[in-house]
Amino acid sequence: MVFNNSDEVRRYIGGIFESAFTDDALREKLAATGVVLRSTFTDPDAEIVVDMGTATVLPECTDATPNASMSMAAEVGNAYWQGKVNLPLAMAKGKIKVDGNVASLLKLAPLSKQLFPVYVEALKADGRTDLLV
């Protein structure tokens, strides 16, 4: 139950934000948060920067300045996008480390729930049932 490489982390986890931005109502709600989120993953190492205001998923090493950041094992990120990780609890247990505007991150959590089925379907469509939790 691991990603093969950092490109897969960016493809699947970054891709879920790209999917979110195709939904007009969800894109508006995400933009209203004003969050520029940097997610840093380990095992494999990867970074994704998402600018909610401009509806953009940026490559790593970008000049965008995040106002919130999260770091976690890629396995935790994968489980989160399947609805299997409680964000506040994972933060409290240190499985997800956050920095910056934590209140904004917690506002994103209810919005992300709409994307759990989309993420699972993307994994299934690519035959990555090994990543299902």
Side-chain angles (χ1 to χ4, degrees), residues 41-114:
F41 300 94
T42 58
D43 303 317
D45 293 347
E47 184 176 276
I48 301 167
V49 177
V50 182
D51 185 335
M52 304 299 170
T54 63
T56 316
V57 178
L58 304 163
E60 65 181 307
C61 301
T62 182
D63 291 333
T65 303
N67 52 21
S69 62
M70 302 175 75
S71 60
M72 68 196 84
E75 182 176 2
V76 173
N78 176 54
Y80 173 78
W81 284 107
Q82 295 179 57
K84 306 297 183 184
V85 174
N86 176 292
L87 183 59
L89 184 59
M91 289 166 52
K93 289 185 173 186
K95 290 184 178 186
I96 298 176
K97 295 181 177 128
V98 297
D99 190 31
N101 192 339
V102 176
S104 292
L105 288 176
L106 294 174
K107 288 180 186 176
L108 290 174
L111 299 174
S112 65
K113 290 179 182 178
Q114 299 174 50

